[in-house]
Structure formats: C-alpha cells, structure tokens
Amino acid sequence: MGKKNKKKNRSGSIDQQPQPTPPSHNTSSTAIAAAAFESEDLSLQRHDEETVLSAIYGDDFTLESGAWNCPVYKLRIRPASDVTDPNNTTALFNNNNDNNQQCCELILSIQLTQKYPYSIPLLQIINSIGLIHSNLSDLLSRLSQKATECAQKGEVMGWELGQVCELYLMEFMERKEKCERERVEMLRLLDCGKGKNRKNEDDDELMLLDNDDDEGEYAVHNNEQQQQQQQEQQHQSSMDSDTKKEIAR
C-alpha cells in the first residue's frame, strides 16, 4: 500500500488537502424554473386579457392562432356612435346613396410575441373603410407609440390600442363633419349670391320696362300733339284760303 503524503505545517499540525466539490445543478435548475414561471405568468396575463377583450368588444373581437405559437387578436373598431347605433340612423351626412360618407371603421390585427407584453406585438390595419393611406399611416404611428409605452411597463395593451383607434376615428369623423358643414355653408352663400343677382336683374328688367312704358307714353303724347298741331295748321290754312277768296271777290 502506498503511503499518503501528508504535509506538516510550521506548527506541526497536518494540513488537509481540499477535496474537489462535485458540479452543482442548482444554477441551471433555477434558470429553468424561472423561465417556466415567467412563461406561466405571461400565459395567465394573456388569458386574462382575452377575457377582458371578449367582454368589451363581444362579436367584434376574434382570437386566432398566429406565428410563434402565439395568438392574434383582431378587433373591429368603429366610432362610438356606430357601435351604439348599428343601423347608423344618426349618420352625419344622412345620404343613403353613399355609405362610405356615413361611416368609417377598421380591423386592428395584433400578433402577439413570445415575450408579450414585454415586447411590442406586430400591428396591422386591415379592411379599413372611409380612410385613405395617409390616415392609416398616421394611425399606425400612434399605435406604435402607445405599444412602446405599454411594453416598457410590461402591461397588456389590447384594450389600449383599441382605444387609440376609436379616438382616431372619432376625430376623423369630426373633421369630416366640419368640412361638410363648411361646404354646405359655402353652397348656401353662393345660392344667396345668385338669388341677389337674380333679384337685381329682375329689378333692372322692371326698370327697363317702366322706362319703356314711360317712353311709349311720351311718344304717344308727342304724336297726339303733332297731330293736333297739324290739324290746327290745316284748319288755319283753310281759313286763310277762304279769306283770300273773299278778298278776291
């Protein structure tokens, strides 16, 4: 048997050699547990959010499966007046021949990510009505800003993004209504101006008729005077002729 070498220190005691410690799996297991807890926590937040959105939007909320095994929220957004008045009987322009002037709406698609709500979801606007490209670009910019604010706080944002869309549509309809009022007022002023012009033209025409009547009466009067003068001259000429005849006799 071999002898174990034991080293004595200066005090004469024997120093024990440090024993190697076996590798610990505590670090990896803790990381896995934390990841599992985080995943479970995010899933719970998403489930609660889906329940809230379904309660608020009803049939205007749909849930679909999307990329990365994450859901896609789709919200149909309309101005508050259209939601409370589905038949749109209080439409701003009340023109049955042009429904695009009476309403505007869109569908907001929110594709969640695995880190949602701590990461920004993918946002899309689809099936929009009454909005042009510049309106959609402006709205997407507002949505991106709100999503960034919520992600920094780790807050679910489906309802917040829906509110951004609804507020934008209300502002859009108010601007559209203002433009329509200004257009109607301008047409009214133009019609009033045309009416005044027509009235002035009628007055001028009446004045001309009156002048014509006056001139006609004046002409008749002159003709009568001329005829009377001619008759007097003829009578005078006749008298002069008779006088001359008497003198000649």
Side-chain angles (χ1 to χ4, degrees), residues 22-47:
S24 175
H25 299 284
N26 291 337
T27 302
S28 59
S29 60
T30 301
I32 295 173
F37 176 78
E38 181 181 0
S39 177
E40 181 180 356
D41 183 58
L42 294 180
S43 298
L44 181 60
Q45 290 187 54
R46 295 172 184 175
H47 181 269

Side-chain angles (χ1 to χ4, degrees), residues 44-221:
L44 181 60
Q45 290 187 54
R46 295 172 184 175
H47 181 269
D48 292 342
E49 182 180 28
E50 293 166 8
T51 303
V52 171
L53 292 176
S54 179
I56 294 175
Y57 289 96
D59 295 336
D60 290 338
F61 168 70
T62 57
L63 180 64
E64 300 178 2
S65 58
W68 312 299
N69 292 325
C70 296
V72 178
Y73 300 159
K74 288 188 177 180
L75 305 176
R76 182 189 179 193
I77 309 296
R78 293 170 288 168
S81 59
D82 289 345
V83 175
T84 56
D85 184 12
N87 296 325
N88 203 21
T89 56
T90 58
L92 293 174
F93 306 108
N94 199 20
N95 182 1
N96 295 328
N97 295 327
D98 192 355
N99 292 328
N100 289 337
Q101 289 186 351
Q102 296 182 4
C103 65
C104 62
E105 67 176 69
L106 57 87
I107 294 179
L108 175 63
S109 174
I110 307 174
Q111 169 64 69
L112 273 57
T113 61
Q114 293 181 347
K115 293 294 184 179
Y116 176 85
Y118 294 94
S119 63
I120 300 175
L122 301 181
L123 304 175
Q124 285 183 304
I125 296 176
I126 57 179
N127 298 338
S128 63
I129 298 176
L131 301 173
I132 61 178
H133 180 73
S134 59
N135 301 136
L136 299 178
S137 298
D138 185 21
L139 178 55
L140 281 173
S141 178
R142 297 190 187 188
L143 290 170
S144 178
Q145 181 178 357
K146 175 58 69 174
T148 301
E149 294 175 1
C150 293
Q152 290 174 349
K153 301 175 184 178
E155 298 176 349
V156 293
M157 60 192 78
W159 182 80
E160 295 282 351
L161 298 177
Q163 287 297 295
V164 171
C165 293
E166 184 175 330
L167 178 61
Y168 185 87
L169 293 183
M170 291 177 62
E171 293 175 353
F172 174 79
M173 293 301 292
E174 288 175 357
R175 292 194 301 269
K176 195 171 183 179
E177 182 185 18
K178 181 180 178 181
C179 292
E180 180 66 12
R181 286 199 303 266
E182 292 176 352
R183 186 184 70 84
V184 171
E185 180 66 17
M186 184 177 297
L187 292 175
R188 187 186 69 81
L189 293 175
L190 289 174
D191 290 339
C192 290
K194 291 179 180 179
K196 290 181 179 179
N197 291 335
R198 285 196 296 268
K199 184 177 183 302
N200 293 334
E201 291 175 357
D202 294 340
D203 292 341
D204 293 341
E205 185 176 356
L206 289 175
M207 291 179 64
L208 290 174
L209 291 175
D210 292 339
N211 292 334
D212 291 341
D213 292 339
D214 294 339
E215 291 177 356
E217 292 177 358
Y218 179 75
V220 170
H221 181 68

